[in-house]
């Protein structure tokens, strides 16, 4: 099969070359259960604790607050499970959360209110303040949208939450290691290893250790300091920590390159009649969400795949269902408009040669359909 030109980094980041091979080769020799009583197991547990310290150094957070879990979905669910102790009447969520966030609230029977937005893709700090003044509750706002790439003003949102004595939590799954994060204002957050090139199988939540309750979503064992029962996926945990170090070190140079790529991609799309969603809002340099001037995207997606390109119609959890992106509906787009959306996302290994070939493929495919 010919090499795919990959423009779907928001779905999953390609593994950092050599990282998983190195980690798994080590695991074949050092395969001990981290919870075992022998010194071999204790050494394996020590490597997990070192991974916690790596994340603590990168974020400035207490290492005791990091809990390793299996996926972003479990991380979000666990965050809410731990935060429910502070929810007396209601919680406040952005309209851009991952589907797992809303499902977790419903599953746990916790009432919540969704904040408003418009075509900027931003939530309002003043609106949140008015809600908190009348009925205080914890706030959950993801940092960057996985579809739109819009970056929410979480510094200001967290400050208004603090003003009313409420904790502020954020899903960082699309922003961690891509842009600077104001970790100091967060009472809890989540991120995922496969979004940063660490491979599948490990995600993280951080929660203020002063308020971490006994137990967790999974109970019956004392792993993860008693907050997540189940034998730790130690290879994936180590890979996540190593990938984090690499991505943080590359962040500044990577973003300069990706901003240049994004400008080229969006200039071409606009010349073909596409609309860039939330074009004038703060956005990830890696992400373009656009409404194409086409009635049906099926032929477009088939055409791009035939040319060897992987792009997306939105969130990986929704893209196969061909439903309108909830983020666009919340922003005021019609169902018909939302069904014309595509997402192009780049990352650490995207090259200018790939971008230039993408521009040609976009033009050829759109013109052939239109």
């Amino acid at each position: 099969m010919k090499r795919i030109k990959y423009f779907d980094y928001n779905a999953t980041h390609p593994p950092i070359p050599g990282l998983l091979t190195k980690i798994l080769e080590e695991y074949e020799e050092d395969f001990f259960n981290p919870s075992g009583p022998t010194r071999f197991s204790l050494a394996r547990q020590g490597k997990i604790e070192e991974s916690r310290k790596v994340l603590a150094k990168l974020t400035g957070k207490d290492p005791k607050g990091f809990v390793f879990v299996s996926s972003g979905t479990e991380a979000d669910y666990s965050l809410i499970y731990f935060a429910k102790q502070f929810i007396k009447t209601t919680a406040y969520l952005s309209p851009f959360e991952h589907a797992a966030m809303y499902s977790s609230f419903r599953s746990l029977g916790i009432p919540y209110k969704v904040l408003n937005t418009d075509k900027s893709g931003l939530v309002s700090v003043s609106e949140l303040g008015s809600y908190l003044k009348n009925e205080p509750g914890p706030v959950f706002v993801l940092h960057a949208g996985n579809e739109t790439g819009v970056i929410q003003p979480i510094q200001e949102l967290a400050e208004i939450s603090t003003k009313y004595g409420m904790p502020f939590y954020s899903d960082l799954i699309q922003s961690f290691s891509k842009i600077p994060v104001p970790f100091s204002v967060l009472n809890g957050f989540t991120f995922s290893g496969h979004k940063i090139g660490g491979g599948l199988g490990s995600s993280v939540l951080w929660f203020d250790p002063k308020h971490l309750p006994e137990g967790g979503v999974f109970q019956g064992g004392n792993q993860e300091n008693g907050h997540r029962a189940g034998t730790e996926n130690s290879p994936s945990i180590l890979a996540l920590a190593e990938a984090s170090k690499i991505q943080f070190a590359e962040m500044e140079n990577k973003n300069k390159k990706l901003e240049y790529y994004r400008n080229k991609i969006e200039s071409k799309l606009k010349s073909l009649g596409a609309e860039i969603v939330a074009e004038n809002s703060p956005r990830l340099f890696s992400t373009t969400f656009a409404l194409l001037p086409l009635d049906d995207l099926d032929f477009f997606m088939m055409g791009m795949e035939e040319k060897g390109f992987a792009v997306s119609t939105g969130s990986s959890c929704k893209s196969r269902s061909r439903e309108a992106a909830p983020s666009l509906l919340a922003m005021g787009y019609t169902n018909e408009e939302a069904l014309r959306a595509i997402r192009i996302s780049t990352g650490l290994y995207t090259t200018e040669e790939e971008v230039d070939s993408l521009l040609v493929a976009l033009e050829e495919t759109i013109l052939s359909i239109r």
Side-chain angles (χ1 to χ4, degrees):
M1 189 173 100
K2 62 183 178 181
R3 181 177 180 272
I4 294 295
K5 296 180 179 65
Y6 188 66
F7 287 89
D8 200 15
Y9 274 74
N10 284 16
T12 194
H13 192 296
I16 291 172
L19 175 59
L20 298 184
T21 301
K22 173 187 171 185
I23 293 288
L24 289 174
E25 284 178 350
E26 177 201 33
Y27 179 61
E28 287 184 359
E29 298 296 325
D30 184 21
F31 53 82
F32 306 99
N33 188 325
S35 299
T38 68
R39 62 185 176 90
F40 309 109
S41 291
L42 290 173
R44 193 69 186 171
Q45 181 64 46
K47 292 182 178 180
I48 294 176
E49 298 310 315
E50 281 301 315
S51 296
R52 257 186 268 278
K53 291 177 182 176
V54 167
L55 299 181
K57 184 175 181 181
L58 292 173
T59 63
K61 291 300 206 181
D62 188 332
K64 296 185 182 68
F66 287 100
V67 180
F68 291 110
V69 297
S70 64
S71 65
T73 294
E74 186 189 345
D76 282 347
Y77 194 105
S78 299
L79 179 71
I80 297 161
Y81 183 90
F82 292 140
K84 68 180 180 179
Q85 62 187 292
F86 299 113
I87 305 173
K88 306 305 180 187
T89 56
T90 192
Y92 298 97
L93 279 67
S94 86
F96 304 113
E97 303 302 316
H98 190 280
M101 190 72 83
Y102 306 115
S103 295
S104 300
F105 271 88
R106 292 192 293 268
S107 176
L108 292 167
I110 301 172
Y112 64 90
K113 181 174 182 61
V114 178
L115 301 170
N116 293 310
T117 188
D118 55 25
K119 289 192 175 179
S120 71
L122 296 165
V123 298
S124 167
V125 176
S126 60
E127 181 198 34
L128 176 61
S130 66
Y131 285 140
L132 293 175
K133 182 178 180 180
N134 294 321
E135 188 176 18
V139 181
F140 298 76
V141 177
L142 91 173
H143 193 190
N146 77 79
E147 291 171 329
T148 64
V150 171
I151 301 167
Q152 299 296 334
I154 62 172
Q155 177 91 36
E156 293 82 358
L157 293 166
E159 288 171 356
I160 200 73
S161 301
T162 300
K163 176 181 176 180
Y164 291 99
M166 290 293 105
F168 183 87
Y169 306 102
S170 189
D171 176 333
L172 306 180
I173 288 174
Q174 285 297 339
S175 66
F176 183 82
S177 82
K178 293 183 180 180
I179 55 174
V181 176
F183 293 105
S184 62
V185 302
L186 302 180
N187 300 102
F189 54 84
T190 58
F191 60 93
S192 187
H194 81 95
K195 299 291 189 181
I196 60 175
L200 301 169
S202 187
S203 295
V204 182
L205 71 133
W206 184 89
F207 201 87
D208 188 341
K210 297 193 296 294
H211 300 294
L212 264 174
E214 291 295 321
V217 174
F218 297 137
Q219 300 185 23
N222 63 358
Q223 291 89 355
E224 288 304 288
N225 299 313
H227 303 303
R228 199 272 189 183
T231 303
E232 295 95 338
N233 186 347
S234 58
S236 290
I237 290 170
L238 271 56
L240 181 152
E242 188 63 29
S244 297
K245 288 194 294 185
I246 292 169
Q247 293 282 11
F248 268 72
E250 295 285 347
M251 188 189 303
E252 185 175 354
N253 289 333
K254 175 179 63 178
N255 279 340
K256 290 177 183 177
K257 177 181 73 171
L258 298 188
E259 181 180 21
Y260 170 65
Y261 294 164
R262 191 187 72 179
N263 290 342
K264 292 185 72 169
I265 291 168
E266 294 184 357
S267 178
K268 172 59 70 175
L269 285 170
K270 287 192 290 184
S271 76
L272 294 168
E275 175 187 344
I276 308 302
V277 175
E279 181 177 6
N280 297 317
S281 295
R283 291 181 294 133
L284 297 173
F285 296 125
S286 60
T287 305
T288 292
F289 203 37
L291 307 185
L292 296 187
L294 305 172
D295 294 328
D296 193 326
L297 288 189
D298 290 338
F299 287 116
F300 171 81
M301 294 298 290
M302 290 168 56
M304 293 299 289
E305 287 188 20
E306 277 294 310
K307 295 178 186 298
F309 291 87
V311 297
S312 173
T313 55
S315 170
S316 293
C317 299
K318 296 288 184 183
S319 58
R320 288 181 187 165
S321 63
R322 296 294 290 121
E323 296 176 3
S327 60
L328 287 176
L329 298 179
M331 292 166 68
Y333 287 96
T334 66
N335 193 74
E336 182 275 330
E337 288 172 326
L339 285 172
R340 294 192 282 111
I342 64 161
R343 183 185 68 191
I344 297 171
S345 50
T346 56
L348 188 59
Y349 303 116
T350 306
T351 67
E352 186 167 10
E353 180 183 7
E354 288 176 325
V355 171
D356 288 340
S357 61
L358 172 72
L359 303 185
V360 173
L362 287 171
E363 182 165 13
E364 289 179 349
T365 305
I366 291 173
L367 292 180
S368 70
I369 299 170
R370 202 169 58 181

